[in-house]
Protein backbone atom coordinates (compact mmCIF):
# COMPACT_ATOMS: atom_id res chain seq x y z
CA UNK A 1 0.00 0.00 0.00
CA UNK A 2 1.40 3.40 -0.98
CA UNK A 3 1.91 6.16 1.51
CA UNK A 4 -0.82 8.82 1.78
CA UNK A 5 -0.03 12.05 -0.08
CA UNK A 6 -0.86 14.01 3.05
CA UNK A 7 0.98 12.70 6.13
CA UNK A 8 -1.29 11.55 8.94
CA UNK A 9 1.01 13.05 11.53
CA UNK A 10 2.94 16.27 11.92
CA UNK A 11 3.35 18.73 14.76
CA UNK A 12 0.60 21.03 13.46
CA UNK A 13 -1.99 18.24 13.28
CA UNK A 14 -0.96 16.88 16.66
CA UNK A 15 -1.30 20.33 18.24
CA UNK A 16 -4.67 21.00 16.61
CA UNK A 17 -6.01 17.65 17.76
CA UNK A 18 -4.68 18.04 21.31
CA UNK A 19 -6.24 21.50 21.58
CA UNK A 20 -9.58 20.19 20.32
CA UNK A 21 -9.48 17.46 22.99
CA UNK A 22 -8.67 19.99 25.71
CA UNK A 23 -11.47 22.28 24.55
CA UNK A 24 -13.88 19.34 24.69
CA UNK A 25 -12.66 17.39 27.71
CA UNK A 26 -10.24 19.59 29.63
CA UNK A 27 -7.28 17.29 28.95
CA UNK A 28 -5.72 15.04 26.33
CA UNK A 29 -3.77 11.82 26.09
CA UNK A 30 -1.36 10.67 23.40
CA UNK A 31 -3.51 7.58 22.60
CA UNK A 32 -6.54 9.86 22.12
CA UNK A 33 -4.57 12.04 19.71
CA UNK A 34 -3.38 8.99 17.79
CA UNK A 35 -6.89 7.57 17.55
CA UNK A 36 -8.35 10.79 16.16
CA UNK A 37 -5.60 11.03 13.58
CA UNK A 38 -5.87 7.38 12.57
CA UNK A 39 -2.31 6.60 13.63
CA UNK A 40 -0.45 4.43 16.10
CA UNK A 41 0.33 5.89 19.52
CA UNK A 42 4.04 5.21 19.07
CA UNK A 43 4.05 7.20 15.84
CA UNK A 44 2.98 10.35 17.67
CA UNK A 45 6.13 10.20 19.78
CA UNK A 46 8.25 10.38 16.60
CA UNK A 47 7.05 13.97 16.13
CA UNK A 48 6.89 15.37 19.67
CA UNK A 49 8.83 15.22 22.92
CA UNK A 50 6.19 13.26 24.83
CA UNK A 51 3.25 14.76 26.68
CA UNK A 52 5.31 17.69 27.98
CA UNK A 53 6.29 18.52 24.43
CA UNK A 54 2.63 18.58 23.38
CA UNK A 55 1.78 20.86 26.31
CA UNK A 56 4.40 23.33 25.08
CA UNK A 57 3.00 23.12 21.56
CA UNK A 58 -0.41 23.98 23.03
CA UNK A 59 1.08 26.94 24.88
CA UNK A 60 2.71 28.17 21.70
CA UNK A 61 -0.49 27.72 19.68
CA UNK A 62 -2.70 29.62 22.11
CA UNK A 63 -0.11 32.37 22.60
CA UNK A 64 0.11 32.90 18.84
CA UNK A 65 -3.15 34.82 19.23
CA UNK A 66 -1.53 37.35 21.59
CA UNK A 67 -0.55 40.42 19.59
CA UNK A 68 3.21 40.89 20.11
CA UNK A 69 2.88 44.44 18.83
CA UNK A 70 1.14 45.43 22.05
CA UNK A 71 4.49 45.43 23.86
CA UNK A 72 5.61 48.50 21.95
CA UNK A 73 8.63 50.19 23.58
CA UNK A 74 7.72 53.46 21.86
CA UNK A 75 4.56 53.81 23.95
CA UNK A 76 4.26 54.41 27.71
CA UNK A 77 4.89 51.17 29.59
CA UNK A 78 1.45 51.13 31.20
CA UNK A 79 -0.34 51.57 27.86
CA UNK A 80 1.69 48.70 26.40
CA UNK A 81 1.07 46.41 29.37
CA UNK A 82 -2.62 47.22 29.33
CA UNK A 83 -2.89 46.38 25.62
CA UNK A 84 -0.89 43.18 26.15
CA UNK A 85 -3.18 42.16 29.00
CA UNK A 86 -6.29 42.58 26.87
CA UNK A 87 -4.83 40.62 23.96
CA UNK A 88 -3.51 37.93 26.35
CA UNK A 89 -6.95 37.62 27.96
CA UNK A 90 -8.72 37.29 24.61
CA UNK A 91 -6.32 34.55 23.47
CA UNK A 92 -6.91 32.42 26.56
CA UNK A 93 -10.61 33.19 26.78
CA UNK A 94 -10.91 31.33 23.46
CA UNK A 95 -9.48 28.20 25.13
CA UNK A 96 -10.09 28.53 28.90
CA UNK A 97 -9.80 24.82 29.60
CA UNK A 98 -6.15 24.85 28.56
CA UNK A 99 -5.23 27.22 31.41
CA UNK A 100 -4.98 24.64 34.25
CA UNK A 101 -2.97 22.38 31.96
CA UNK A 102 -0.40 25.06 31.12
CA UNK A 103 -0.12 26.25 34.71
CA UNK A 104 1.38 22.91 35.78
CA UNK A 105 4.46 22.94 33.55
CA UNK A 106 7.38 25.38 33.05
CA UNK A 107 7.37 27.71 30.05
CA UNK A 108 9.87 26.50 27.46
CA UNK A 109 8.38 27.42 24.08
CA UNK A 110 10.84 29.82 22.37
CA UNK A 111 8.18 32.07 20.81
CA UNK A 112 6.44 32.43 24.16
CA UNK A 113 9.72 33.21 25.92
CA UNK A 114 10.26 35.96 23.34
CA UNK A 115 7.11 37.70 24.57
CA UNK A 116 8.33 37.51 28.15
CA UNK A 117 11.66 38.97 27.04
CA UNK A 118 9.81 41.91 25.47
CA UNK A 119 7.71 42.45 28.60
CA UNK A 120 10.75 42.30 30.89
CA UNK A 121 12.71 44.71 28.69
CA UNK A 122 9.78 47.10 28.59
CA UNK A 123 9.54 47.22 32.39
CA UNK A 124 13.29 47.56 32.93
CA UNK A 125 13.45 50.40 30.42
CA UNK A 126 10.52 52.05 32.22
CA UNK A 127 12.59 52.11 35.41
CA UNK A 128 11.33 49.11 37.38
CA UNK A 129 13.88 47.45 39.62
CA UNK A 130 14.87 43.92 38.63
CA UNK A 131 13.36 42.52 41.83
CA UNK A 132 9.97 43.97 40.90
CA UNK A 133 9.83 42.95 37.24
CA UNK A 134 8.74 39.32 37.50
CA UNK A 135 6.24 39.92 40.35
CA UNK A 136 4.61 42.61 38.18
CA UNK A 137 4.38 40.27 35.18
CA UNK A 138 3.16 37.32 37.25
CA UNK A 139 0.55 39.47 38.99
CA UNK A 140 -0.71 40.66 35.62
CA UNK A 141 -0.87 37.07 34.37
CA UNK A 142 -2.85 36.00 37.44
CA UNK A 143 -5.32 38.79 36.73
CA UNK A 144 -5.55 37.95 33.01
CA UNK A 145 -5.90 34.18 33.35
CA UNK A 146 -8.40 34.44 36.18
CA UNK A 147 -10.48 36.79 34.07
CA UNK A 148 -10.22 34.49 31.04
CA UNK A 149 -11.70 31.71 33.18
CA UNK A 150 -14.37 34.10 34.44
CA UNK A 151 -15.42 34.81 30.85
CA UNK A 152 -16.21 31.11 30.46
CA UNK A 153 -18.41 31.14 33.56
CA UNK A 154 -22.17 31.78 33.52
CA UNK A 155 -23.19 35.43 33.65
CA UNK A 156 -25.22 34.65 36.78
CA UNK A 157 -22.81 32.95 39.19
CA UNK A 158 -24.94 33.27 42.33
CA UNK A 159 -28.26 31.46 42.74
CA UNK A 160 -30.17 32.58 45.81
CA UNK A 161 -32.83 30.24 47.21
CA UNK A 162 -34.55 33.30 48.62
CA UNK A 163 -33.61 36.93 49.10
CA UNK A 164 -34.55 36.97 52.77
CA UNK A 165 -31.48 35.01 53.90
CA UNK A 166 -28.98 37.16 51.94
CA UNK A 167 -30.67 40.54 51.42
CA UNK A 168 -27.50 42.58 50.88
CA UNK A 169 -26.21 40.12 48.30
CA UNK A 170 -29.58 40.13 46.54
CA UNK A 171 -29.57 43.93 46.28
CA UNK A 172 -26.00 43.99 45.02
CA UNK A 173 -26.74 41.37 42.36
CA UNK A 174 -29.84 43.24 41.23
CA UNK A 175 -27.77 46.40 40.87
CA UNK A 176 -24.99 44.73 38.85
CA UNK A 177 -25.12 45.78 35.19
CA UNK A 178 -24.52 43.33 32.31
CA UNK A 179 -20.95 42.41 31.39
CA UNK A 180 -19.92 41.29 34.86
CA UNK A 181 -16.63 39.68 33.77
CA UNK A 182 -15.53 42.60 31.58
CA UNK A 183 -16.32 45.17 34.26
CA UNK A 184 -14.44 43.17 36.89
CA UNK A 185 -11.43 42.81 34.58
CA UNK A 186 -11.25 46.55 33.90
CA UNK A 187 -11.52 47.30 37.62
CA UNK A 188 -8.73 44.84 38.46
CA UNK A 189 -6.51 46.05 35.62
CA UNK A 190 -6.92 49.66 36.69
CA UNK A 191 -6.01 48.76 40.27
CA UNK A 192 -3.03 46.69 39.17
CA UNK A 193 -1.59 49.49 37.01
CA UNK A 194 -2.14 52.04 39.78
CA UNK A 195 -0.15 49.92 42.22
CA UNK A 196 2.57 49.19 39.66
CA UNK A 197 3.01 52.93 39.15
CA UNK A 198 3.67 53.34 42.88
CA UNK A 199 6.60 50.94 42.56
CA UNK A 200 8.22 53.43 40.20
CA UNK A 201 7.39 56.44 42.36
CA UNK A 202 8.82 54.91 45.55
CA UNK A 203 11.80 53.18 43.99
CA UNK A 204 15.11 54.48 45.29
CA UNK A 205 17.32 55.97 42.54
CA UNK A 206 20.14 53.57 43.37
CA UNK A 207 17.98 50.41 43.54
CA UNK A 208 19.02 47.66 41.10
Amino acid sequence: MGRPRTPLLDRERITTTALALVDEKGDFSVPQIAKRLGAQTGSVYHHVDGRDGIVELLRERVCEAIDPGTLDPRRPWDASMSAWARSYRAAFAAHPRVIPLLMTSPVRAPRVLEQYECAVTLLIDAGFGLADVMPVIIALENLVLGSALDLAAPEAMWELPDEASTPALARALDATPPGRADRAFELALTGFLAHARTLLVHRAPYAP
Side-chain angles (χ1 to χ4, degrees):
M1 183 181 295
R3 293 189 176 186
R5 292 184 179 181
T6 302
L8 293 174
L9 291 176
D10 59 35
R11 290 164 70 90
E12 286 296 313
R13 285 184 175 84
I14 291 169
T15 306
T16 298
T17 304
L19 186 55
L21 284 165
V22 173
D23 286 343
E24 294 167 18
K25 305 174 183 296
D27 203 352
F28 73 91
S29 70
V30 177
Q32 288 173 330
I33 293 172
K35 182 177 180 180
R36 287 206 176 186
L37 291 174
Q40 297 296 316
T41 299
S43 300
V44 175
Y45 288 106
H46 294 157
H47 298 269
V48 296
D49 184 18
R51 178 181 169 86
D52 288 346
I54 296 173
V55 169
E56 281 308 287
L57 289 174
L58 289 173
R59 191 191 308 277
E60 199 165 63
R61 173 68 65 83
V62 175
C63 288
E64 282 176 359
I66 303 174
D67 180 5
T70 55
L71 294 169
D72 188 345
R74 296 168 297 182
R75 296 195 299 173
W77 70 269
D78 47 358
S80 291
M81 294 297 284
S82 179
W84 187 51
R86 290 188 173 88
S87 183
Y88 196 149
R89 176 180 181 246
F92 277 86
H95 304 282
R97 302 186 79 177
V98 82
I99 294 172
L101 191 64
L102 299 184
M103 295 294 287
T104 59
S105 70
V107 181
R108 295 189 300 271
R111 282 188 287 183
V112 179
L113 291 172
E114 286 173 8
Q115 286 206 27
Y116 282 101
E117 177 71 10
C118 290
V120 167
T121 301
L122 183 76
L123 294 178
I124 291 173
D125 290 348
F128 284 87
L130 279 178
D132 290 327
V133 169
M134 290 313 297
V136 166
I137 291 174
I138 293 167
L140 182 60
E141 284 190 310
N142 289 345
L143 188 164
V144 164
L145 295 177
S147 184
L149 287 171
D150 193 24
L151 281 171
E155 177 69 16
M157 279 296 294
W158 294 264
E159 294 184 356
L160 309 185
D162 62 81
E163 296 187 3
S165 58
T166 52
L169 176 58
R171 291 197 305 274
L173 290 174
D174 287 342
T176 303
R180 171 186 60 77
D182 288 334
R183 288 174 178 272
F185 172 72
E186 293 300 331
L187 175 63
L189 182 60
T190 299
F192 163 81
L193 290 172
H195 179 71
R197 291 185 192 104
T198 67
L199 296 178
L200 287 176
V201 171
H202 298 296
R203 183 189 171 216
Y206 53 83

